Amino acid sequence: MYKLKENTQIITDFSELIFTLGNRLCDNKINDKNYFIADDISELLLKLYDIYYSQNDITMQKCLDLWDRLLECRIVAAKELTKKIDKNDMP
């Protein structure tokens, strides 16, 4: 995850992995011990969205759908990052 967060050039190659991890987080297939991954997934998802904004409607929509799902699942990292976005206080 750390390498993906630092290198935005390769993040697009791992978009499906990011979507899978986000969905598994909501499905509780990632246990509580690994819950810290939610913060990383939220940040990667936001970066992926920024990359595909107005370039690839399908991937951009998948980002939005997963973001909605993370919020519906009450993933705290997604809620906190959403608040930062609203305040223009990005990580």
Side-chain angles (χ1 to χ4, degrees):
M1 290 292 213
Y2 180 75
K3 293 268 187 197
L4 287 175
K5 286 170 65 174
E6 288 209 344
N7 189 345
T8 56
Q9 292 176 329
I10 64 168
I11 193 173
T12 56
D13 296 336
F14 294 93
S15 60
E16 287 304 316
L17 175 65
I18 295 166
F19 296 137
T20 299
L21 289 173
N23 282 309
R24 285 191 179 170
L25 185 64
C26 283
D27 294 339
N28 293 321
K29 293 179 182 171
I30 295 178
N31 63 31
D32 290 339
K33 292 179 184 176
N34 296 326
Y35 199 74
F36 67 90
I37 202 168
D39 187 49
D40 292 332
I41 291 171
S42 297
E43 286 185 41
L44 290 171
L45 188 59
L46 183 59
K47 287 181 181 184
L48 196 60
Y49 175 82
D50 286 343
I51 290 168
Y52 282 113
Y53 182 75
S54 74
Q55 289 182 16
N56 183 323
D57 290 340
I58 294 169
T59 304
M60 187 181 78
Q61 188 60 50
K62 286 175 83 171
C63 290
L64 292 173
D65 291 343
L66 181 54
W67 195 265
D68 286 344
R69 186 153 189 242
L70 291 172
L71 292 171
E72 286 172 5
C73 295
R74 300 176 189 228
I75 303 299
V76 175
K79 289 182 182 182
E80 290 175 358
L81 199 52
T82 301
K83 289 178 186 176
K84 287 181 181 180
I85 293 168
D86 288 342
K87 293 179 182 178
N88 290 323
D89 184 24
M90 295 298 298

